[in-house]
Amino acid sequence: MVNVAVLGCGTVGSGVADVFRMNSSLIAKQAGREIRVKYILDIRDLSGTPYEELQIRDFALIESDPEISVVVESIGGAGIAYEFTKRALAAGKSVVTSNKELVATHGDELLRLARENNVSYLFEASVGGGIPLIHPISRCLTANDLTEVCGILNGTTNYILTKMIREGISFKLALKQACDNGYAELDPTDDIEGKDACRKICILASLLSGRHIRPEQSFVQGITGVSLSDVKFAESANYKIKLLGRALRTDEGRWAVWVSPHLVPASNPLSCVEDVFNAILVSGNAVDDVMFYGRGAGKMATASAVVSDVIDIVASAPRVLNDFWDGDGSDITCDSAAIPSKWYIRTNDQSLAAALSGQTVLRNTSAKASEAAFITKKAYNRQALDTLIGRTVPLSLMRVL
Ligand code: HSE
């Protein structure tokens, strides 16, 4: 029998407890041993829930209980979750988490601590919700030199963009629905301003590069500046607007990492990814492109990935799983502004429109007569683009994939 403690009984934590109940015999078969949730730590009162008997409020009980070998951290954030994770690892307990903020901020330190204590630190659910991604990249694609990853990494913003495009509902209403469905972060500005996707692309970039790449070393732009007018202009030329996280290694061996809304052509499979679904394209020099697709957020999808990590730890024991990356990666990153791409530009400035008249012109019959939109014919890095558009600030500026 393996005993597990769950920290936090919110959306993810209660989903984890639900999956353990729902699939207990199947899980025992997969792990080779029975797995039991012994404690659920939460400061809120769990009376009246199926888990009231398991509730504790003092982390020290978990820390000092030799029966607990795996701790599931589903508190979120990089505050108390960071403290409890360090204490659990130091006490010789493996930790599983869906906490992308913690992994993106302190992953190198926590992985080192796990190695020092001969325990596992796993975070499959931190990127792509229920999509198997970290495990396949770190175990099944190891024969490749992995040079690029590009994906839709935030379910909430993809849900919002899909609802705005398909049903024409307002940004505010779509965001409310995403919150009601349990997709959004506690502070949904982390979703819409791109911070959540940034943490996830940093985790993937760290995985590919083998060094810890942090959110401060990347560029982030969310979806708050995307208007229905942009959506219509993009559609007229067969593009969808998607918030993409991208990490790619330059010829000089440096990693550019960024999150921003992109125009994605209909020919690219990412353009068809809708609602809360995420999709991630990984490029390797032997396998070429591999795409991972599935539910990127939500209680049971995320819990599925967390519980699979617990099973993995139990089934792999005594081997530990903590070799994802090592050391700081600040010396191997570069500014994403140096990466060239075609650009979408919307403006109501007549002189800028005249300067761009040689570029591809987009049509939108419902746009204001004063507005025009263009896609550059050539790829430009940010400096060359600034030379092209001069000092006028466009209404909208997005990369084209
Ligand atoms: N708020 C996140 C999202 C949850 O919408 O993708 C899953 O990480």
Side-chain angles (χ1 to χ4, degrees):
M1 163 86 78
V2 172
N3 287 286
V4 172
V6 177
L7 313 183
C9 198
T11 305
V12 179
S14 62
V16 168
D18 288 353
V19 171
F20 273 116
R21 277 195 340 158
M22 185 170 83
N23 290 340
S24 59
S25 49
L26 182 119
I27 288 169
K29 199 167 148 211
Q30 299 289 355
R33 291 158 80 185
E34 206 180 313
I35 304 180
R36 167 177 83 126
V37 176
K38 183 171 179 184
Y39 303 121
I40 298 184
L41 177 97
D42 206 303
I43 48 171
R44 293 163 300 187
D45 185 8
L46 302 183
S47 306
T49 75
Y51 304 114
E52 59 177 311
E53 301 287 310
L54 304 181
Q55 175 162 28
I56 58 165
R57 290 186 167 81
D58 182 6
F59 179 73
L61 275 176
I62 295 169
E63 197 178 21
S64 61
D65 185 340
E67 278 190 1
I68 296 291
S69 51
V70 184
V71 172
V72 170
E73 184 274 298
S74 47
I75 298 172
I80 194 71
Y82 177 43
E83 289 308 315
F84 287 169
T85 300
K86 283 194 294 185
R87 283 170 59 181
L89 293 170
K93 299 169 191 318
S94 292
V95 176
V96 171
T97 190
S98 58
N99 187 339
K100 50 260 159 142
E101 184 176 352
L102 190 55
V103 179
T105 315
H106 297 294
D108 56 346
E109 182 194 351
L110 297 171
L111 284 166
R112 194 170 53 244
L113 197 55
R115 281 191 286 272
E116 284 166 8
N117 288 283
N118 204 30
V119 289
S120 301
Y121 183 53
L122 295 186
F123 39 85
E124 179 63 65
S126 66
V127 186
I131 309 170
L133 184 62
I134 310 265
H135 189 93
I137 290 176
S138 59
R139 302 270 167 246
C140 315
L141 292 174
T142 42
N144 289 265
D145 182 20
L146 301 174
T147 51
E148 185 169 354
V149 57
C150 169
I152 295 169
L153 295 167
N154 182 268
T156 299
T157 44
N158 205 45
Y159 181 89
I160 293 171
L161 288 171
T162 305
K163 292 283 165 182
M164 283 172 70
I165 296 167
R166 216 170 46 195
E167 295 170 25
I169 69 171
S170 71
F171 183 96
K172 212 171 141 192
L173 181 58
L175 175 59
K176 185 179 177 306
Q177 289 179 2
C179 293
D180 291 347
N181 286 333
Y183 302 155
E185 297 301 295
L186 214 51
D187 176 0
T189 55
D190 281 6
D191 294 294
I192 60 182
E193 287 173 1
K195 284 189 198 160
D196 178 76
C198 178
R199 291 166 186 144
K200 293 166 176 167
I201 193 66
C202 284
I203 293 171
L204 295 179
S206 302
L207 209 54
L208 264 61
S209 69
R211 305 267 295 279
H212 191 161
I213 295 177
R214 293 183 163 73
E216 305 85 81
Q217 288 143 10
S218 61
F219 171 82
V220 192
Q221 184 192 338
I223 62 162
T224 48
V226 176
S227 71
L228 274 173
S229 183
D230 293 319
V231 168
K232 296 254 165 62
F233 272 119
E235 267 180 350
S236 73
N238 267 328
Y239 291 91
K240 290 266 180 63
I241 298 177
K242 297 286 179 193
L243 183 69
L244 298 184
R246 298 180 65 185
L248 60 87
R249 198 178 66 206
T250 64
D251 293 342
E252 293 75 40
R254 290 185 168 267
W255 286 86
V257 181
W258 76 99
V259 171
S260 65
H262 282 63
L263 266 69
V264 180
S267 56
N268 187 302
L270 292 175
S271 74
C272 309
V273 177
E274 301 207 314
D275 288 315
V276 72
F277 286 84
N278 285 189
I280 298 95
L281 280 165
V282 182
S283 308
N285 65 346
V287 72
D288 201 1
D289 283 349
V290 180
M291 179 156 149
F292 299 89
Y293 171 83
R295 285 188 180 274
K299 176 173 169 159
M300 295 308 261
T302 310
S304 153
V306 172
V307 174
S308 298
D309 270 351
V310 176
I311 295 170
D312 213 9
I313 287 172
V314 175
S316 307
R319 194 164 66 90
V320 290
L321 312 162
N322 54 32
D323 56 348
F324 298 103
W325 62 82
D326 195 11
D328 177 67
S330 48
D331 59 330
I332 57 159
T333 55
C334 67
D335 188 349
S336 63
I339 306 298
S341 64
K342 291 187 175 181
W343 296 82
Y344 162 87
I345 305 158
R346 179 167 62 90
T347 184
N348 57 6
D349 182 277
Q350 298 310 308
S351 55
L352 178 56
L356 293 171
S357 60
Q359 310 297 329
T360 304
V361 181
L362 304 188
R363 306 274 161 216
N364 171 5
T365 46
S366 58
K368 291 184 195 139
S370 57
E371 279 187 19
F374 306 86
I375 289 179
T376 61
K377 285 186 174 158
K378 285 195 320 192
Y380 295 90
N381 64 26
R382 200 44 226 259
Q383 199 183 5
L385 182 77
D386 287 346
T387 306
L388 179 74
I389 63 180
R391 271 194 298 211
T392 314
V393 180
L395 293 171
S396 185
L397 182 65
M398 288 182 251
R399 286 181 186 265
V400 178
L401 193 63

